[in-house]
Amino acid sequence: MKAKVIIERGTDGSYGAYIGSDNIPFGIVGDGKTVEEAKEDFLNSYQEMKEYYKEENKNFIECEFEFSYDIASFLEYYGNIISLAGLERLTGVNQGQLSHYVTGRRKPSKTTVLKIEKKLHEFGKELNQVEFI
């Protein structure tokens, strides 16, 4: 079963990860100072839940996780791969504005979120077609 995991940046600057699916009969959360720590804590909690179900002789639903990010979490997690300048060129969203999203000074509008997501997906499709000779 596939389950969506939502990763969000908290108001204190930490990150949380939680299952965003109603199809899973258990809850799992993870947190950390970085996105990587939150994901690691989440996956550790998943393993602990799996062990608990085994000890209790309960049927456990195995899951594959798809991670979804708020803008601040995405920019923090992929910041060492995609620069704000590069993201500005890709999406048309001003680098200064993107910086505000990273720091949490501002939250993007739904329109801006969809614009960034659309441009990233288009870029991903383009990269998927790259072949080297």
Side-chain angles (χ1 to χ4, degrees), residues 62-93:
E62 295 281 343
C63 297
E64 284 183 48
F65 299 112
E66 296 176 345
F67 293 94
S68 297
Y69 303 84
D70 68 355
I71 293 293
S73 298
F74 173 83
L75 294 174
E76 192 275 332
Y77 188 65
Y78 289 100
N80 60 344
I81 298 170
I82 304 172
S83 70
L84 294 182
L87 197 56
E88 176 182 20
R89 286 189 297 276
L90 182 67
T91 65
V93 177

Side-chain angles (χ1 to χ4, degrees), residues 93 101 108-118:
V93 177
Y101 302 154
S109 68
K110 182 69 175 170
T111 303
T112 301
V113 168
L114 292 173
K115 179 180 181 179
I116 293 170
E117 186 176 295
K118 178 182 176 202

Side-chain angles (χ1 to χ4, degrees), residues 5-129:
V5 177
I6 298 169
I7 299 177
E8 293 180 325
R9 182 174 184 191
T11 56
D12 64 352
S14 67
Y15 295 87
Y18 60 92
I19 290 180
S21 173
D22 295 334
N23 300 336
I24 309 298
F26 48 81
I28 300 175
V29 297
D31 57 35
K33 293 180 182 177
T34 66
V35 172
E36 287 178 354
E37 285 181 11
K39 285 175 79 171
E40 184 178 321
D41 189 45
F42 175 87
L43 294 171
N44 185 48
S45 296
Y46 173 73
Q47 289 303 320
E48 289 174 353
M49 184 66 73
K50 187 176 181 178
E51 290 170 18
Y52 172 76
Y53 268 59
K54 185 177 181 179
E55 289 171 8
E56 296 293 316
N57 278 336
K58 293 182 176 182
N59 185 31
F60 185 77
I61 297 174
E62 295 281 343
C63 297
E64 284 183 48
F65 299 112
E66 296 176 345
F67 293 94
S68 297
Y69 303 84
D70 68 355
I71 293 293
S73 298
F74 173 83
L75 294 174
E76 192 275 332
Y77 188 65
Y78 289 100
N80 60 344
I81 298 170
I82 304 172
S83 70
L84 294 182
L87 197 56
E88 176 182 20
R89 286 189 297 276
L90 182 67
T91 65
V93 177
N94 181 284
Q95 184 176 346
Q97 195 66 28
L98 293 168
S99 177
H100 287 302
Y101 302 154
V102 173
T103 61
R105 276 192 222 141
R106 292 197 177 127
K107 288 197 173 245
S109 68
K110 182 69 175 170
T111 303
T112 301
V113 168
L114 292 173
K115 179 180 181 179
I116 293 170
E117 186 176 295
K118 178 182 176 202
K119 293 296 186 177
L120 284 169
H121 288 175
E122 288 172 358
F123 183 59
K125 286 178 184 174
E126 184 178 323
L127 285 177
N128 196 37
Q129 296 176 14

